[in-house]
Structure formats: structure tokens, C-alpha cells
């Protein structure tokens, strides 16, 4: 009698919904972190652009630390040392804090590059028309600088979205953590990782397409 091969398969529709909920958590933590990080990064980039001594001597090296130290180390250190200074944060809030600062450190260089892309002659022309410093910054520097570095910012945003998977080390059940849970139970890594990859693609692709269409609109 020929031996029969049996395959273990226990993936259910409810597991697909579990992954979908985890994808929503990934989108939530990514959106918050990118929004906060971008706002902080623009402010930090402006400070670096102005070249004040405090920004050059303190802020610059500090941002270099967040850019250089692996994100997973930052997450673990912050989550474990925050209670020492009286901050009791759950994995979600800890992830938002570190991802936001990490995003801000990356966006700061992007923002500074965008501001430096505006020629001094254009700024002098704006001031000669009677614009104040803040009007020049709002109506000349930021619009032109944003167009110059928008593709770089999109790359940072997509990178932060993918890096949000590292928050799983804190116990936050985002898409990667949910995949690991299901793999442990079903022993179907190929299927589950394929579905998780499809969710990541579904989250990232609309951003890429919208960014591309926006660039075309600006160029026309």
C-alpha cells in the first residue's frame, strides 16, 4: 500500500481578518509617526538651514544619533528606560514616539535640502517686493523647496511605514507580529508572508501612485 502524504493546513478566514486588523494598526502607527515626524523634521530642517549655533552644535549631532543607531535598538532602549524617568507608555505610544523622532531626523535633512534649493537671488527678489521673512518662507521657500525634495520625502515616508514592523519587538501586534503569530500556529509561512506582503503593497502602492501623479501635476 502506497504511503499517503498529509499536509498541515489550518488557515481560516478569521485569520485573514486578523491580518487585516493588523494592517490597519500598521497604517495607524505609520500615519501618526509620519505626520508628527514630518512636522518636527521641517522645523528641525529650518533650524539647520538657518545655521544657528545651537542647531549646529546640539541639534545636528543629536539627529545624527537617531539616523545612525539602528531603529530596533532605539525602540528597545526607549521602551525599557522610559519608566525610569516616569513615562509609562504602552508599545503603541512608545513606537509612535521613536518612529516620529526617527522620521524627523530623516526629514530634517530633506527639508534643509529643499530650503537650500531656493536660490538666494529669488529670496532677495521676494524681500525686495516687500515680503517679510516669514512671508518669504511661506510663499517662496516652502513651495519651491517642497517640489524639489518631494520624491525624497515620499521615500522617507514609505521607509518609515516598512520600519514600523520593528515595533513588533515591543509586543505591538502590527502586520509582521500578526504574521508571526499565525505562522507559529499554522506552520504555513509561505502563505501567510505572501498575504502580509500583499497588505504592505496595498498600503504603499497608493502613496507611490499619488506621489507620482502629484509630481506630474506640478511639472505641467
Amino acid at each position: 500500500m502506497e504511503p499517503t502524504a498529509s499536509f498541515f493546513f489550518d488557515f481560516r478566514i478569521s485569520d485573514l481578518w486578523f491580518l487585516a486588523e493588523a494592517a490597519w494598526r500598521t497604517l495607524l502607527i505609520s500615519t501618526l509617526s509620519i505626520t508628527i515626524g514630518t512636522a518636527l523634521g521641517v522645523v528641525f530642517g529650518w533650524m539647520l538651514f538657518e545655521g544657528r549655533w545651537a542647531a549646529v552644535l546640539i541639534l545636528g549631532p543629536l539627529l545624527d544619533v537617531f539616523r545612525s543607531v539602528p531603529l530596533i535598538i532605539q525602540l528597545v532602549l526607549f521602551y525599557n528606560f522610559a519608566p525610569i524617568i516616569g513615562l509609562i507608555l504602552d508599545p503603541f505610544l512608545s513606537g509612535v514616539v521613536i518612529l516620529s523622532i526617527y522620521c524627523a531626523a530623516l526629514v530634517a535633512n530633506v527639508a534643509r535640502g529643499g530650503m537650500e534649493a531656493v536660490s538666494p537671488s529669488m529670496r532677495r527678489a521676494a524681500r525686495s517686493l516687500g515680503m517679510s521673512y516669514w512671508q518669504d518662507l511661506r510663499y517662496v521657500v516652502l513651495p519651491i523647496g517642497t517640489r524639489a525634495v518631494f520624491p525624497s520625502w515620499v521615500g522617507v515616508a514609505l521607509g518609515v511605514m516598512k520600519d514600523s514592523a520593528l515595533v513588533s519587538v515591543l509586543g505591538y501586534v502590527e502586520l509582521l507580529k500578526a504574521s508571526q503569530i499565525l505562522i507559529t500556529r499554522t506552520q504555513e509561512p509561505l502563505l501567510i508572508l505572501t498575504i502580509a506582503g500583499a497588505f504592505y503593497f496595498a498600503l504603499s502602492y497608493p502613496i507611490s501612485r499619488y506621489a507620482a501623479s502629484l509630481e506630474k501635476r506640478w511639472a505641467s
Side-chain angles (χ1 to χ4, degrees), residues 4 15 19 54 62 84 90 138 151 160 203-204:
T4 58
D15 295 332
L19 288 175
L62 186 61
I84 297 177
D90 59 22
R138 177 181 177 184
V160 171
L203 294 176
S204 302

Side-chain angles (χ1 to χ4, degrees), residues 47-75:
M47 294 172 65
L48 294 173
F49 171 70
E50 288 298 322
R52 304 294 174 84
W53 68 268
V56 174
L57 298 179
I58 300 175
L59 182 60
L62 186 61
L63 294 179
D64 286 337
V65 170
F66 282 99
R67 281 193 295 264
S68 303
V69 176
L71 184 57
I72 190 170
I73 295 178
Q74 298 180 40
L75 288 165

Side-chain angles (χ1 to χ4, degrees), residues 37-50 59 63 67 103-118 123 137 140-154 156:
T38 297
L40 290 176
V42 171
V43 174
F44 294 158
W46 169 75
M47 294 172 65
L48 294 173
F49 171 70
E50 288 298 322
L59 182 60
L63 294 179
R67 281 193 295 264
C103 179
L106 298 177
V107 171
N109 268 351
V110 173
R112 180 177 63 176
M115 294 175 189
E116 291 174 349
V118 182
R123 300 199 64 186
L137 192 66
V140 178
V141 176
L142 289 181
I144 297 175
T146 298
R147 295 188 181 192
V149 299
F150 184 70
S152 299
W153 176 84
V154 172
V156 170

Side-chain angles (χ1 to χ4, degrees), residues 80-213:
N80 287 281
F81 282 98
I84 297 177
I85 59 175
L87 293 176
I88 309 300
L89 302 177
D90 59 22
F92 173 77
L93 290 178
S94 297
V96 169
V97 170
I98 294 300
L99 283 175
S100 297
I101 297 175
Y102 176 71
C103 179
L106 298 177
V107 171
N109 268 351
V110 173
R112 180 177 63 176
M115 294 175 189
E116 291 174 349
V118 182
S119 64
S121 60
M122 187 174 295
R123 300 199 64 186
R124 286 195 297 267
R127 300 300 292 273
S128 67
L129 292 174
M131 288 187 178
S132 66
Y133 172 83
W134 297 110
Q135 288 175 325
D136 168 37
L137 192 66
R138 177 181 177 184
Y139 295 109
V140 178
V141 176
L142 289 181
I144 297 175
T146 298
R147 295 188 181 192
V149 299
F150 184 70
S152 299
W153 176 84
V154 172
V156 170
L158 293 176
V160 171
M161 178 177 289
K162 290 182 288 186
D163 289 338
S164 67
L166 296 176
V167 184
S168 62
V169 300
L170 307 182
Y172 181 66
V173 184
E174 45 67 65
L175 192 51
L176 181 61
K177 184 69 173 180
S179 301
Q180 293 171 340
I181 293 172
L182 291 181
I183 289 172
T184 301
R185 181 175 63 80
T186 66
Q187 298 300 306
E188 289 288 342
L190 183 60
L191 172 65
I192 293 172
L193 290 178
T194 299
I195 296 174
F199 274 117
Y200 275 116
F201 177 78
L203 294 176
S204 302
Y205 185 72
I207 298 175
S208 300
R209 295 308 306 163
Y210 177 73
S213 65

